[in-house]
Amino acid sequence: MITLEDWALIRRLAAEGEPKAKIAARLGISRTTVIRAVNSESPPRYERRPAPTSFTPFEARVRELLGETPTMPATVLAERVGWTGSIRWFRDNVKRLRPEQQRIDPADRLVWAAGDAAQCDLWFPPRKIPLEDGTAKLLPVLVIAPAHSRFVTGRMIPTRKTEDLLLASWELIERLGRVPRRLLWDNEPGIGRGKRHADGIDAFMGTLATKLVLLPPRDPESKGIVERRNGWFETSFMPGRSFTSPADFNEQFTDWLTLANGRVVRTLGASPASRLETDLAGMLPLPPIRLHLGWRSRIRLGRDYYVRVDTNDYSVDPRAIGRVVEVTADLDQVRVRLDGRVVADHPRSWARGRVITDPAHKDAAAVLRHQFQQPRRVAAGDDLARDLADYDRAFGLVEGDH
């Protein structure tokens, strides 16, 4: 086989009109080699003829096992086929064969119509956020991105429970000012799994007149926009930042998203902010009625005058003890009402297992406790003795009464 340099020289001399016999004589090669080099479309390349190796006797059995279990580790395969040679050499051959046995799942290019869909996901920032009780915790961030414009909205929330997911979803949709025709989720327990929706989800979707789409497993393309944004947050938003509270995180995140949505996306050739108006035009209007979302319950207030929301206990005016009160909570506040009158109003705690007491409630309980411990007073002059003749008449023992 001639070298790459000889091949290039032969083609140059032939292009200049030099006879092939003269080129062969000049380079000391046969005329046939010169003709083959002139007629070839690619440079010469050395190709080693395949020959049996130590892996060859095991290859058929390895293919069979991979056909049954494509993810079987190479070490297990080596044990099953009785391989005793180099495990590195065995792994290299298994790596060569494995793609032939795996099923192919092609991904289509999706086209998102304006207003049609918004992709929803939870992002967990890789940094613990300080809470009210001095602890720190990894907290979820709900992210909603209309697919046509790729305009991103997001908010940190205290839990992944349905009540908080719906509160945050409504807040982000209100920021958009319109309702996407479809909300795409994967199998988030607080939203639903398969055909089963969490309590309150259907009512929420019905009020918005939108459709919930729970994506099947192994379908990342249908939610790829928002998932790529989550990775982008970790490389572009998080580095070099510190946070003092969830509220501080939300403030910084909202400010950053305002700038990020104004940047040009290479694949779009435009910024999400510039495409948002078209996206909103295809969406549905906000519902005309007020949404009743969040944590809601009605209980009879016990002697300890506390109510529980999520995992925390909040004090209530003890004068409501024994009465039925209505407990409501959103992402920021916990309120308790008695006959429409507020008898407790607390900032919601994002820490867990806390007891939150209003000093005024504690003082009122002390006054009521003191009054309860005092003996009942009897008005002076009250005659508590009853005439025994009243009992005689009641039982018909006095003849004069008949």
Side-chain angles (χ1 to χ4, degrees):
M1 176 180 288
I2 60 174
T3 64
L4 180 62
E5 291 78 8
D6 289 342
W7 176 82
L9 178 58
I10 291 170
R11 292 176 66 84
R12 180 175 65 81
L13 294 175
E16 292 174 354
E18 190 163 343
K20 295 180 178 60
K22 189 174 182 180
I23 296 174
R26 176 176 176 177
L27 297 179
I29 56 178
S30 68
R31 186 170 175 271
T32 303
T33 302
V34 173
I35 295 172
R36 189 182 298 116
V38 171
N39 294 335
S40 65
E41 297 180 355
S42 60
R45 182 177 58 185
Y46 173 72
E47 294 183 359
R48 184 175 182 178
R49 293 182 180 179
T53 67
S54 58
F55 182 77
T56 302
F58 302 90
E59 185 168 333
R61 179 56 180 159
V62 170
R63 287 181 183 273
E64 181 181 347
L65 291 173
L66 286 176
E68 298 171 358
T69 311
T71 59
M72 185 180 294
T75 52
V76 178
L77 284 167
E79 180 182 349
R80 296 285 177 85
V81 301
W83 175 264
T84 58
S86 168
I87 191 62
R88 171 177 285 186
W89 171 243
F90 188 84
R91 280 200 184 100
D92 290 343
N93 282 277
V94 171
K95 186 176 181 180
R96 172 176 57 84
L97 298 179
R98 199 183 294 278
E100 301 175 8
Q101 309 300 325
Q102 292 178 340
R103 291 182 296 178
I104 298 175
D105 180 21
D108 294 330
R109 292 291 182 93
L110 300 178
V111 178
W112 302 99
D116 173 50
Q119 299 180 9
C120 311
D121 198 18
L122 290 180
W123 167 52
F124 286 84
R127 189 169 304 162
K128 292 185 176 181
I129 306 298
L131 301 178
E132 308 92 335
D133 61 349
T135 62
K137 184 181 178 182
L138 293 175
L139 293 170
V141 175
L142 175 62
V143 181
I144 298 181
H148 175 76
S149 62
R150 305 190 186 184
F151 188 90
V152 182
T153 60
R155 190 198 198 283
M156 179 169 280
I157 57 178
T159 73
R160 299 170 64 179
K161 295 184 178 179
T162 303
E163 293 85 352
D164 291 333
L165 289 173
L166 293 185
L167 283 166
S169 295
W170 173 237
E171 180 179 323
L172 297 182
I173 289 173
E174 274 195 309
R175 287 187 198 175
L176 289 173
R178 303 275 288 180
V179 182
R181 296 177 182 272
R182 295 187 300 155
L183 296 178
L184 276 56
W185 277 93
D186 52 18
N187 289 292
E188 178 63 34
I191 299 297
R193 290 181 179 275
K195 296 182 179 180
R196 184 192 64 80
H197 297 170
D199 292 340
I201 295 296
D202 290 334
F204 177 75
M205 299 298 168
T207 304
L208 297 183
T210 189
K211 180 181 179 181
L212 172 65
V213 179
L214 294 177
L215 300 173
R218 297 181 295 277
D219 186 20
E221 297 81 18
S222 297
K223 207 158 61 66
I225 292 174
V226 70
E227 290 182 350
R228 284 192 294 272
R229 293 299 178 272
N230 292 349
W232 178 45
F233 299 154
E234 296 188 12
T235 58
S236 298
F237 171 70
M238 292 298 293
R241 291 182 183 268
S242 60
F243 309 101
T244 59
S245 66
D248 180 39
F249 178 95
N250 280 328
E251 183 177 353
Q252 292 191 47
F253 192 48
T254 300
D255 291 343
W256 182 81
L257 282 177
T258 302
L259 298 175
N261 283 320
R263 297 171 183 166
V264 174
V265 178
R266 180 180 57 81
T267 55
L268 296 178
S271 67
S274 67
R275 292 166 58 95
L276 181 61
E277 185 176 353
T278 303
D279 214 352
L280 294 176
M283 296 183 187
L284 302 169
L286 294 175
I289 60 176
R290 180 174 176 268
L291 273 66
H292 296 280
L293 301 173
W295 302 78
R296 308 180 70 87
S297 63
R298 287 174 59 85
I299 65 168
R300 190 175 299 277
L301 189 64
R303 285 184 57 207
D304 66 347
Y305 62 92
Y306 282 82
V307 295
R308 176 160 293 187
V309 175
D310 194 14
T311 63
N312 297 316
D313 294 332
Y314 300 85
S315 67
V316 181
D317 189 331
R319 286 170 289 190
I321 288 175
R323 309 278 296 277
V324 175
V325 295
E326 182 182 7
V327 183
T328 61
D330 56 23
L331 298 173
D332 303 310
Q333 292 294 129
V334 175
R335 292 184 177 90
V336 183
R337 291 178 173 84
L338 173 63
D339 298 330
R341 178 173 57 89
V342 176
V343 290
D345 192 350
H346 298 274
R348 182 176 172 186
S349 174
W350 287 31
R352 301 180 67 80
R354 296 187 67 206
V355 177
I356 295 92
T357 304
D358 186 332
H361 297 163
K362 188 174 182 180
D363 293 343
V367 172
L368 292 174
R369 190 178 303 109
H370 177 74
Q371 292 174 352
F372 178 81
Q373 293 171 350
Q374 299 304 311
R376 290 181 178 272
R377 294 183 179 180
V378 179
D382 285 354
D383 186 4
L384 300 181
R386 188 160 189 168
D387 189 348
L388 295 178
D390 294 339
Y391 295 97
D392 292 339
R393 284 190 291 271
F395 288 98
L397 301 177
V398 180
E399 296 181 359
D401 292 342
H402 294 282

